[in-house]
């Protein structure tokens, strides 16, 4: 078996027979996604795919919250840490061209690549998964949520259509997707399960053990059966136009960035941060999770 590389922003381990686990390990940053984290996730998933003793992968996270989304303070550029993976090119160009290439690589490109990896991938989610945090959930096959989990995409406040892996209507249904986007309100674990987005909701204290038990059960099935079952379901979604819909929304996302650059001189409407912060504060005061 290939030696496990050294990771900085994630951990990789084998918690049960036939099961690999990738853990987001920036709890002090609420697992905000640095460029390094995204490449390390991709490398760890490749490691699991290449290990014939692994049938199932778990994606987990340290700390209170699963992920607060993209790390907006990260200044690393494509190519700084390692060569690009997906070959879109143009990463060094200034303006919208270079930014689009970056998002094609580490946002849209990685999410779609991970969605189509051959082995089942289970995500265990606690606390908040905000905007880009959903992009570390929705590409994968099963979602196990703690009873305190909350899911939101408030970036319409930034003058954007939503995060880059735009599968909202497929995950929530078109009306609930619009509500999530228009209001920025979080969706609780129980409602997410009722909508079919989440498979199971369990007490926070049981999240890890429940997920490992589920993964172990799945790992006992033949690898070829798991692979072809996953392909069959994914291809059913493809036949409904998922990939075309994602690409169309991604292009609108790039228009949103370009529009904000023209008006505000930056990628997002700066007033959006105040809106999102004030709504988060109001949620805490109503007794929501901070």
């Amino acid at each position: 078996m290939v030696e496990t590389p050294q990771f900085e922003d994630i951990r990789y381990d084998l918690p049960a027979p036939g099961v690999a686990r990738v853990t987001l390990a920036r709890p002090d940053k609420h697992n905000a996604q640095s460029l390094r984290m995204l490449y390390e996730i991709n490398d760890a998933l490749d490691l699991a795919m290449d290990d014939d003793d692994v049938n199932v992968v778990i994606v987990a996270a340290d700390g209170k919250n699963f992920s607060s989304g993209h790390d907006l303070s990260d200044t690393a550029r494509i190519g700084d840490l390692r060569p690009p993976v997906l070959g879109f090119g143009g990463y060094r160009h200034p303006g919208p061209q270079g930014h689009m290439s970056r998002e094609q690589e580490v946002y849209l490109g990685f999410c779609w690549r991970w969605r189509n990896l051959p082995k089942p991938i289970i995500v265990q989610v606690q606390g908040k998964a905000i905007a880009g945090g959903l992009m570390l959930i929705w590409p994968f096959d099963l979602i196990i949520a703690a009873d305190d989990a909350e899911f939101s995409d408030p970036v319409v406040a930034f003058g954007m259509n939503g995060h880059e892996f735009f599968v909202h209507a497929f995950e929530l249904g078109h009306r609930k997707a619009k509500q999530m986007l228009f209001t920025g309100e979080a969706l609780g674990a129980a409602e997410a399960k009722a909508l079919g987005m989440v498979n199971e909701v369990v007490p926070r204290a049981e999240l890890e053990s429940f997920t490992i038990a589920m993964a172990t059960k799945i790992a006992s099935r033949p690898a070829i059966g798991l692979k072809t079952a996953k392909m069959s379901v994914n291809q059913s979604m493809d036949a409904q136009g998922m990939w075309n819909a994602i690409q169309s929304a991604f292009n609108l996302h790039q228009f949103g960035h370009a529009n904000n650059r023209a008006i505000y001189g930056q990628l997002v409407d700066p007033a959006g941060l105040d809106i999102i912060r004030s709504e988060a504060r109001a949620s805490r005061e109503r007794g929501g999770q901070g």
Side-chain angles (χ1 to χ4, degrees):
M1 187 172 133
V2 178
E3 183 178 351
T4 303
Q6 295 298 308
F7 295 120
E8 294 184 30
D9 287 355
I10 68 165
R11 291 194 312 281
Y12 182 87
D13 69 333
L14 304 169
V19 180
R21 180 168 55 191
V22 179
T23 303
L24 315 183
R26 301 184 80 201
D28 56 319
K29 302 290 187 181
H30 300 283
N31 296 308
Q33 300 152 34
S34 63
L35 196 67
R36 183 186 305 279
M37 175 184 277
L38 293 170
Y39 277 107
E40 288 185 349
I41 292 169
N42 190 65
D43 288 345
L45 291 174
D46 280 350
L47 189 66
M49 295 305 119
D50 195 47
D51 186 346
D52 289 341
D53 292 328
V54 170
N55 264 10
V56 181
V57 182
I58 294 170
V59 175
D62 287 340
K64 181 177 183 180
N65 295 310
F66 180 81
S67 177
S68 60
H70 304 325
D71 185 350
L72 301 180
S73 68
D74 185 16
T75 59
R77 298 175 299 175
I78 300 293
D80 284 354
L81 305 174
R82 52 164 296 163
V85 170
L86 300 176
F88 288 101
Y91 308 105
R92 290 174 293 277
H93 284 295
Q97 180 180 356
H99 188 77
M100 181 177 183
S101 294
R102 172 191 173 91
E103 295 200 338
Q104 284 179 307
E105 165 92 353
V106 294
Y107 297 155
L108 177 64
F110 276 176
C111 284
W112 189 249
R113 182 175 189 270
W114 299 341
R115 182 257 191 185
N116 290 301
L117 291 174
K119 299 178 183 180
I121 302 174
I122 305 172
V123 192
Q124 65 175 59
V125 184
Q126 78 279 5
K128 296 183 184 299
I130 302 172
L134 295 173
M135 295 168 61
L136 300 184
I137 296 172
W138 283 350
F140 302 125
D141 302 301
L142 302 181
I143 301 171
I144 311 300
D147 51 12
D148 69 342
E150 295 183 352
F151 308 89
S152 64
D153 186 4
V155 301
V156 168
F158 287 139
M160 303 298 296
N161 61 332
H163 65 62
E164 293 85 348
F165 188 63
F166 200 95
V167 293
H168 302 61
F170 289 90
E171 292 287 348
L172 304 172
H174 71 286
R175 297 200 188 282
K176 205 65 183 181
K178 289 175 182 177
Q179 183 178 346
M180 172 185 274
L181 292 164
F182 294 169
T183 67
E185 294 171 353
L187 192 70
E191 186 176 7
K193 183 175 186 293
L195 291 167
M197 191 198 103
V198 163
N199 294 88
E200 303 289 346
V201 178
V202 300
R204 175 73 172 263
E206 299 174 16
L207 179 62
E208 180 178 354
S209 61
F210 186 95
T211 304
I212 290 176
M214 173 77 78
T216 301
K217 180 176 183 178
I218 294 171
S220 69
R221 269 59 177 172
I224 186 61
L226 295 172
K227 177 178 181 176
T228 54
K230 177 170 178 172
M231 289 174 65
S232 297
V233 176
N234 281 1
Q235 288 166 10
S236 297
M237 302 299 289
D238 296 344
Q240 297 175 47
M242 175 181 270
W243 177 231
N244 286 340
I246 291 170
Q247 291 181 93
S248 176
F250 181 78
N251 293 335
L252 290 171
H253 184 93
Q254 299 309 312
F255 168 77
H257 280 319
N259 185 64
N260 285 324
R261 277 184 186 270
I263 296 173
Y264 306 110
Q266 59 187 67
L267 292 170
V268 299
D269 181 342
L273 188 58
D274 289 337
I275 293 171
I276 292 170
R277 282 176 172 168
S278 66
E279 291 180 348
R281 190 179 309 113
S283 175
R284 289 194 297 272
E285 289 171 354
R286 291 193 301 268
Q289 298 296 315

